[in-house]
Amino acid sequence: MSIRAAMEKITEKILLEKSSPRTSKLEQIKTLNLSRMGLKSEDLPVLLLSKLCSLEQLDLSGNMLQEIPRGLCLPCLKILNCSNNDMEDVVSLEALRNIEELRLEDNLYLTVNDEHKVVFLLPKLRMFNGKDISSTAHHIRHGSTEILMKRVIGVWERSFSLPDPITAQSLAAVEKGFVNTACTQIKYGPNSLSEYIKWRVEMIAKEYLKSLTCSEEEGRVTDTPPTKENEAPAERRTRDLGDNIITSPQKRTRNNSEVAAEASPRKSSRLASAAPVEASPRKSTGVMKTPQKTDPIMTPSPRKQARMTNVDTPECSLRKSSRLENISQKGASKVESPGKAAKSIISTPTPRPAKCESPRKTAKDQTTVQQSKQKTSKTETDTPQKTARTKLKVPQEPVSLQPFHVLQCHSRQDSPDDFSTPLWSCAFEPPQECNGGGISGGSRTIATCGGETLCVIDCESGHVLKKYKVPGEEFFSLAWSTVLMSRTGGSARPCSILAAGGKKGLVKLIHPRVNLAFGEFRASRRAISIMRFSPCNASFLFTGTYENKIFLWDIGGLDRDYNFKISKLLVLETGSTPLHLSLLPTSPDTHLLSGCDDGLYIFDIQLCKNTQKRNEEMEIVFPIYKKKDKKNTYRTIDGLSFLSDDIVASKSHMQGSIYLWSWSATRASWNSRKKAVPAVVLAELQWSSTEIPYLSLGTCPGYGYVVCGDEQGRLWMYHITDTMMEKFKSGKIISATEVLEWPSPVRAEMGALEGPSINSIAMDPDLHYLVALTDKNMAVVWKRESQ
């Protein structure tokens, strides 16, 4: 469709052109296709569309609709397709009560609560998103009516009564208090449906109060016929308190079927041409609204949770991930048998194991550490230049990395032809104490996420150890932590867990070592863009969301049945989507750096202060901002990571370079009366001039490395040593130490795949492995050659 056609408003002529059967009268149209026209809700003319009195099928997919316009009347409409839109509200569908088939897939902002609302509001709906929901709909519409009604009546009888005399003002005050109390006190069903249950309780409470009011008025005025105003509530009460009273709050099978845990990917498959890339909400920067209140939350028993499958069992040995080999190293293409372990491209000694850390401190010890760090953090920032001038104690010789494995392990429906699923985030498992909770070698184990799956991979063997799938989800971020799990006898042991989140706004909590997805909680009604655990408080989890907020949660510890309790500690207002989160290495409990779509912001996160909701303390601004033009402000910070205790690496979209700047010197120059603070730039590193956004960088402080991928699959590597620090004074842009070319993986009888965009980079602390994630469903593992 042409751009011109997409920009046109809906007219009678367009309706006739896109209708079936062909006719000259709107009243005779039965099928109408208005898909992929770039329509917003205000582009749908209610009066004109309401003339389609015979319309039975309407396709509105692929547009930008946030809701169906109010007042739209289509009495014969039976089939409606609103998939792939920006729907935020389903209540507007209530007027289309004769719909029998409805599609709402790929609407980023809709949740399971909205799905239940729409089933309740449409009494004739039997097919939803291509599935027959007849039995489920019966439970949703009728199952818990009596229970919720009894609880609502109980709240009224315990605490409320009708005012005397009854006036509009006094009745409104009683209604407000009654509805708020009922919504607060009545809990029913799983936490994932709490919003829906609250919505229904509010509806039932209002209708119940109206019924009492009508009864009271009837008792006082018996000789006067009811007015139309008195009739309306009774009619509505008959409908809402009759057939369509309440949805079923009984627990869905989400944890066992929808949240499925699988073994590693299916048999390896040949390379094929890439499928069209699906639009990802990750690329959207629209303003989001309505944060979800979720504290406190008690999770259900782990017996009701999904279990992950251990790939190492003989039963799953034939389901290893598809691994693409690099012919530039071997000189010939070859596909290994899927039953065999992945072979190394270059034989190297097994990496030395990571150092064993001391056991995690108890919760009381962690609190003491946090308080002591809060006392010392001010002293550290009072001497800004000291850290910046300290030499980087890193090896002087650069490392040599070679491509080791290429894995295609996030395929949708395990399709061998899926080269369109973008991979977004990866992180190495933190080193564990000896015989701790790690899956394998700690720093050789990495978690990756993209599409509807999360994988845990052994970098040495190239095997996918665990694979976790949530149908309909798109994971954008993940984070590791080590929390304490209580045991019999009162002792506790460290437990390495994963948190992951994406477009559904839910945080999934997983214990990979025992193959258990043990819980979830709602962090937002919008998508989750980034996640980060605090290094000094292992149970503190930051979640950045598409509603332009960062939430700090405390998930607490785990009991032996994996029960935990969620509490919300902070809400940080960002003004745009947060893309990266970094905590100060020396005092991670004092300040948070957030790279956002609209700049780099610093937040005070000290919990000793009373305010829970906070705005940014200051904004870091960069020299590149001065080059802004009509097309770009250069304010999108799509790369952010600490290289040392003081040096930060960051980049802006379309900058073409990477800044190294001093945190302490920058903060020292801050005037508390002004929020904007110019970054004290130490150096500028030359990088690709690509216009593709969200290509993140990674750092390895122990070896002084900054690495960033580009749009051609290359890795730009910068080895920052104390010798190079002297060159910073020259003011010249510093070239990359090395640029690693895309390994050009191939399959038998297929050509080499061109270099895709590198979305994310991760390195283990000892730089034995580097993992790069692409937007073409490939995770590339690079391994350091032995010295």
Side-chain angles (χ1 to χ4, degrees):
M1 178 177 295
S2 66
I3 296 177
R4 180 180 177 184
M7 296 295 291
E8 290 180 358
K9 300 293 184 180
I10 297 299
T11 64
E12 181 174 345
K13 179 181 178 182
I14 291 178
L15 293 179
L16 293 173
E17 289 177 351
K18 294 182 173 293
S19 65
S20 176
R22 291 294 182 179
T23 178
S24 60
K25 296 182 180 180
L26 296 179
E27 294 80 4
Q28 297 177 353
I29 295 177
K30 291 190 175 182
T31 302
L32 183 62
N33 186 350
L34 300 179
S35 64
R36 296 184 293 278
M37 294 183 64
L39 298 175
K40 296 182 179 180
S41 299
E42 56 268 25
D43 295 330
L44 298 179
V46 174
L47 293 178
L48 182 61
L49 292 175
S50 294
K51 294 180 181 180
L52 304 172
C53 56
S54 299
L55 185 66
E56 297 179 357
Q57 298 184 36
L58 176 59
D59 189 350
L60 292 171
S61 62
N63 287 297
M64 296 182 289
L65 303 177
Q66 293 182 319
E67 64 177 4
I68 298 299
R70 307 282 175 168
L72 181 61
C73 180
L74 298 171
C76 294
L77 187 64
K78 296 181 180 180
I79 302 174
L80 176 63
N81 187 352
C82 285
S83 59
N84 194 20
N85 274 279
D86 296 326
M87 296 285 287
E88 295 184 355
D89 179 32
V90 297
V91 178
S92 59
L93 292 168
E94 183 178 14
L96 308 176
R97 297 180 57 79
N98 291 321
I99 291 180
E100 298 178 4
E101 298 183 24
L102 176 66
R103 302 195 78 100
L104 288 175
E105 302 106 321
D106 297 324
N107 280 275
L108 173 63
Y109 310 136
L110 297 185
T111 68
V112 64
N113 293 279
D114 298 299
E115 295 175 3
H116 276 60
K117 285 182 183 179
V118 81
V119 174
F120 171 78
L121 292 171
L122 303 178
K124 296 183 179 180
L125 187 66
R126 57 180 180 80
M127 295 292 294
F128 183 63
N129 291 341
K131 297 180 181 179
D132 190 335
I133 60 165
S134 301
S135 58
T136 304
H138 179 78
H139 288 293
I140 291 177
R141 293 166 186 151
H142 309 290
S144 55
T145 299
E146 185 177 352
I147 295 175
L148 287 180
M149 175 58 74
K150 286 182 178 179
R151 295 186 182 186
V152 168
I153 295 174
V155 171
W156 174 265
E157 293 178 345
R158 286 193 301 271
S159 308
F160 295 91
S161 62
L162 289 175
D164 189 14
I166 296 178
T167 64
Q169 185 176 3
S170 63
L171 193 60
V174 171
E175 181 184 73
K176 181 178 179 181
F178 175 43
V179 170
N180 289 342
T181 302
C183 291
T184 301
Q185 293 184 1
I186 297 176
K187 306 294 182 183
Y188 192 68
N191 289 320
S192 59
L193 290 177
S194 59
E195 181 194 344
Y196 169 75
I197 295 299
K198 180 179 179 181
W199 178 73
R200 285 297 294 125
V201 167
E202 179 180 355
M203 187 182 298
I204 293 174
K206 288 181 178 180
E207 294 299 329
Y208 178 68
L209 182 57
K210 286 180 181 178
S211 69
L212 294 179
T213 306
C214 291
S215 299
E216 184 74 15
E217 290 177 350
E218 289 173 0
R220 294 181 180 182
V221 186
T222 58
D223 298 330
T224 306
T227 63
K228 291 183 178 180
E229 287 78 4
N230 289 334
E231 288 174 354
E235 293 173 356
R236 184 176 177 185
R237 183 172 68 253
T238 301
R239 174 174 60 83
D240 284 342
L241 298 181
D243 293 340
N244 292 340
I245 185 63
I246 194 69
T247 69
S248 170
Q250 72 182 34
K251 195 174 187 73
R252 294 180 62 197
T253 57
R254 167 186 277 280
N255 288 330
N256 292 324
S257 61
E258 185 175 309
V259 183
E262 296 194 349
S264 63
R266 310 266 178 189
K267 296 181 179 180
S268 58
S269 52
R270 67 181 186 277
L271 269 172
S273 57
V277 178
E278 297 179 2
S280 167
R282 180 69 181 226
K283 302 294 183 183
S284 170
T285 58
V287 178
M288 310 304 173
K289 307 173 184 176
T290 317
Q292 181 78 9
K293 295 180 181 179
T294 57
D295 52 305
I297 299 174
M298 291 300 294
T299 61
S301 168
R303 297 180 182 87
K304 299 180 181 179
Q305 305 299 322
R307 283 193 170 270
M308 301 176 67
T309 305
N310 191 334
V311 181
D312 292 334
T313 59
E315 180 182 356
C316 302
S317 63
L318 295 180
R319 295 187 176 184
K320 303 297 182 186
S321 62
S322 304
R323 190 172 66 82
L324 316 181
E325 293 188 295
N326 185 332
I327 61 169
S328 63
Q329 299 296 327
K330 286 290 189 180
S333 60
K334 178 181 177 181
V335 180
E336 293 181 334
S337 168
K340 297 180 180 179
K343 297 180 180 179
S344 303
I345 293 176
I346 293 197
S347 178
T348 58
T350 303
R352 60 186 176 86
K355 294 181 179 179
C356 295
E357 293 183 345
S358 59
R360 290 275 179 175
K361 297 179 176 63
T362 64
K364 183 177 180 180
D365 293 336
Q366 291 176 350
T367 304
T368 305
V369 172
Q370 178 183 0
Q371 293 174 347
S372 64
K373 288 188 176 182
Q374 289 176 354
K375 294 178 181 178
T376 59
S377 60
K378 185 176 181 181
T379 305
E380 293 172 354
T381 56
D382 286 341
T383 57
Q385 302 294 342
K386 183 176 180 181
T387 308
R389 293 174 181 171
T390 302
K391 291 185 177 181
L392 292 171
K393 297 180 180 179
V394 300
Q396 296 297 309
E397 293 297 323
V399 300
S400 176
L401 296 174
Q402 295 296 330
F404 198 43
H405 304 293
V406 180
L407 299 101
Q408 181 194 2
C409 53
H410 290 264
S411 301
R412 293 186 183 277
Q413 299 179 348
D414 297 320
S415 170
D417 299 324
D418 179 6
F419 288 96
S420 63
T421 299
L423 309 185
W424 290 116
S425 181
C426 57
F428 277 90
E429 180 185 8
Q432 300 290 315
E433 61 181 273
C434 294
N435 299 322
I439 298 179
S440 57
S443 60
R444 63 186 266 183
T445 305
I446 191 167
T448 61
C449 71
E452 60 187 14
T453 56
L454 182 151
C455 296
V456 180
I457 301 169
D458 183 344
C459 290
E460 180 62 28
S461 66
H463 288 172
V464 177
L465 303 175
K466 318 286 179 183
K467 187 173 182 181
Y468 177 70
K469 178 181 288 188
V470 181
E473 178 65 279
E474 182 172 6
F475 286 111
F476 291 152
S477 186
L478 53 79
W480 288 93
S481 188
T482 305
V483 299
L484 294 176
M485 171 178 277
S486 59
R487 295 188 293 182
T488 304
S491 61
R493 64 178 176 87
C495 176
S496 184
I497 66 169
L498 264 175
K503 75 174 185 180
K504 290 190 175 183
L506 295 171
V507 174
K508 306 289 185 179
L509 298 174
I510 306 162
H511 187 191
R513 183 170 181 263
V514 297
N515 315 323
L516 183 66
F518 61 86
E520 67 177 39
F521 67 92
R522 176 161 295 285
S524 173
R525 290 195 73 243
R526 306 293 182 259
I528 297 173
S529 55
I530 188 67
M531 306 174 71
R532 176 64 62 90
F533 275 104
S534 170
C536 64
N537 292 285
S539 63
F540 284 11
L541 175 65
F542 292 91
T543 59
T545 70
Y546 277 75
E547 59 185 288
N548 303 337
K549 290 181 175 66
I550 300 170
F551 299 95
L552 172 58
W553 309 89
D554 185 2
I555 65 174
L558 303 176
D559 66 16
R560 60 183 181 181
D561 293 323
Y562 286 91
N563 293 314
F564 64 98
K565 186 176 182 180
I566 295 293
S567 58
K568 186 191 300 180
L569 304 180
L570 284 177
V571 180
L572 310 177
E573 304 278 352
T574 58
S576 62
T577 305
L579 304 175
H580 295 281
L581 302 177
S582 287
L583 296 161
L584 303 184
T586 55
S587 53
D589 49 2
T590 61
H591 288 88
L592 173 74
L593 283 67
S594 177
C596 302
D597 258 323
D598 194 28
L600 176 55
Y601 300 98
I602 312 300
F603 293 90
D604 185 337
I605 58 172
Q606 297 180 75
L607 296 179
C608 57
K609 299 185 178 181
N610 295 327
T611 54
Q612 186 187 37
K613 294 185 178 181
R614 304 177 187 179
N615 293 319
E616 73 274 10
E617 186 177 71
M618 59 181 175
E619 178 189 3
I620 308 297
V621 296
F622 297 95
I624 188 67
Y625 290 2
K626 297 178 181 178
K627 298 181 180 180
K628 67 179 180 180
D629 51 40
K630 293 182 180 180
K631 295 183 178 180
N632 188 33
T633 64
Y634 298 98
R635 299 185 76 88
T636 298
I637 306 298
D638 55 0
L640 178 70
S641 184
F642 272 87
L643 178 61
S644 70
D645 288 348
D646 182 66
I647 301 176
V648 186
S650 67
K651 75 179 184 73
S652 300
H653 173 220
M654 296 180 65
Q655 179 180 351
S657 61
I658 299 170
Y659 283 133
L660 298 182
W661 52 280
S662 168
W663 156 254
S664 59
T666 301
R667 180 165 174 77
S669 64
W670 174 48
N671 183 339
S672 59
R673 290 172 293 183
K674 295 183 179 180
K675 285 193 174 182
V677 186
V680 178
V681 177
L682 304 175
E684 187 172 357
L685 310 179
Q686 181 186 6
W687 184 65
S688 172
S689 58
T690 179
E691 297 183 359
I692 297 178
Y694 309 136
L695 305 186
S696 179
L697 58 81
T699 60
C700 182
Y703 280 75
Y705 263 90
V706 178
V707 183
C708 190
D710 65 12
E711 78 285 4
Q712 299 178 25
R714 298 174 299 184
L715 301 180
W716 297 62
M717 304 188 65
Y718 310 88
H719 187 210
I720 311 300
T721 64
D722 54 352
T723 304
M724 182 175 290
M725 294 285 285
E726 298 298 325
K727 299 179 182 180
F728 289 176
K729 300 177 182 179
S730 66
K732 296 181 179 180
I733 296 181
I734 298 175
S735 301
T737 307
E738 184 181 10
V739 178
L740 302 179
E741 295 296 330
W742 171 246
S744 299
V746 299
R747 283 295 183 95
E749 300 179 0
M750 302 295 293
L753 188 70
E754 294 182 359
S757 297
I758 303 296
N759 287 339
S760 184
I761 296 287
M763 291 165 277
D764 72 282
D766 292 326
L767 199 48
H768 288 305
Y769 306 98
L770 181 153
V771 176
L773 302 186
T774 73
D775 65 349
K776 295 288 184 66
N777 188 25
M778 285 180 287
V780 185
V781 180
W782 298 72
K783 184 177 180 180
R784 190 177 79 192
E785 290 186 317
S786 58
Q787 301 296 325

